[in-house]
Each structure stands twice: as structure tokens, then as C-alpha cells.
Amino acid sequence: MFIVDWWNSMSLISQIFAVIAIPATLLLLIQTVMLFLGIGDDADGGADDLADGVADDLPDEADGVFGDQTDADTADLAGLEGLRILTLRGIIAFLVVFGWVGVAMDGAGIALFVTLPVAAVCGFAMMVVLALLMRAVMKLRNSGNADNRNAIGVSGKVYLTVPAARGGSGKVHLMLQGSFVEETP
């Protein structure tokens, strides 16, 4: 069998790296398939939040530097504030890259004292890249709720006359947050 021959041809160090990499890769694949199916992608209390020690009922201060509950007005979007590195997804990505880089470097005959730190740095780099990608994706999320404060100063067209002195309600058509809406003032 190909797999048995491949396994037996590896050194003990490569086998240890493979024991780390193979299950982590399978978990990452399962996690990715579940993400595409919409299962387990709950940013407000999913597995990533629980792995960080954050629950829904904890105050916002419990998230700290690695949490997602940062104040949007004060968060430095170019810096590392609010970057969620230590998540379940990040740890699995670290193990995948750490394991496969270790297998590749040991297979190339590179000494273990060089292989371990290089594999660890590559794994940590993958955690940071994944955190940056997830932050970029989270910026794309929108609640879809219209904020009526954004209607102040926007021109619209009165559809049903608005009675004077708040004696009733009318209807106004306007563009609010890029969508055509009908408001009842």
C-alpha cells in the first residue's frame, strides 16, 4: 500500500510531525466545509469565542486584546488591536503548518534544531495571516438594519402627506444607506 510505504519511509521525527499535521489538516478541512455550509460560523458565541474563554454573558472587557469586542471608534484597524490570534481556527492552522513544514524540512535533511523554530515561526505566521483574513471578512459583515439617524438631511419625496403638528403619519420615499426605503415619520 502506498500509505504504509510512505509512512515507513519517513524518519521518526517526520512521523511525529505527520502525527501533528494529519489530524489537524482533517480538522481544518472539516471546519472549512462546515463554514461553507454555514454551520458553526457564529461570531457571537461560537467555538472560537469559547476557545478564547469568552462567553455571551460576559462583559465586553473580558475579551481583552485578542477579543472581537473592541470599540470601533478607538480600534486601530491598521495595528494589532482586536486581532484574534488565539482562536480554535488559528490553533488548528498553526498545527497544520507546523506539522507539514516539519515533515518537509526533515525530509530535506535539515537538522531538528533548525526545523523546530522554523516550523514554529511558519505556524505562528499562519495564525497571524488567518487572523488578518478573518478580521477583513468580519469588516464585510453588515447587520442590514437601517439607521434612521442617517436619514437626517437626505432629500426624499413625500408619498402621503405628513400632517402638521404630528397629528398623524405620512409616508416618505428616500434613499437611505444605499437602499430605496419608505419611511413613516
Side-chain angles (χ1 to χ4, degrees):
M1 286 191 130
F2 173 73
I3 296 174
V4 174
D5 292 337
W6 172 73
W7 184 260
N8 290 332
S9 69
M10 291 193 305
S11 69
L12 177 63
I13 300 299
S14 288
Q15 288 177 348
I16 292 171
F17 279 120
V19 165
I20 295 170
I22 293 170
T25 302
L26 292 174
L27 283 174
L28 188 65
L29 288 174
I30 291 169
Q31 207 174 38
T32 303
V33 169
M34 289 175 57
L35 181 68
F36 285 132
L37 295 176
I39 302 170
D41 186 31
D42 183 13
D44 295 328
D48 281 348
D49 290 336
L50 294 177
D52 293 337
V54 178
D56 287 336
D57 56 349
L58 292 177
D60 291 347
E61 295 83 24
D63 286 342
V65 175
F66 298 107
D68 64 340
Q69 299 291 334
T70 58
D71 185 8
D73 297 331
T74 61
D76 178 17
L77 298 179
L80 295 178
E81 182 179 342
L83 191 61
R84 299 181 67 207
I85 295 174
L86 295 175
T87 63
L88 182 61
R89 191 173 288 129
I91 292 168
I92 290 173
F94 171 85
L95 292 174
V96 168
V97 173
F98 175 80
W100 289 121
V101 168
V103 168
M105 290 183 73
D106 188 61
I110 299 173
L112 183 61
F113 71 90
V114 175
T115 300
L116 280 175
V118 170
V121 167
C122 290
F124 183 73
M126 186 61 200
M127 287 176 72
V128 172
V129 167
L130 184 66
L132 290 171
L133 287 173
M134 293 306 293
R135 183 171 64 178
V137 167
M138 292 301 143
K139 281 186 188 178
L140 298 175
R141 291 193 329 176
N142 187 356
S143 67
N145 297 337
D147 186 0
N148 288 337
R149 293 177 293 193
N150 292 333
I152 297 173
V154 175
S155 299
K157 183 175 181 179
V158 176
Y159 178 67
L160 289 176
T161 305
V162 179
R166 298 191 185 253
S169 62
K171 292 193 179 191
V172 179
H173 290 167
L174 56 109
M175 288 298 289
L176 179 63
Q177 295 172 223
S179 299
F180 183 75
V181 295
E182 181 177 277
E183 290 291 321
T184 311

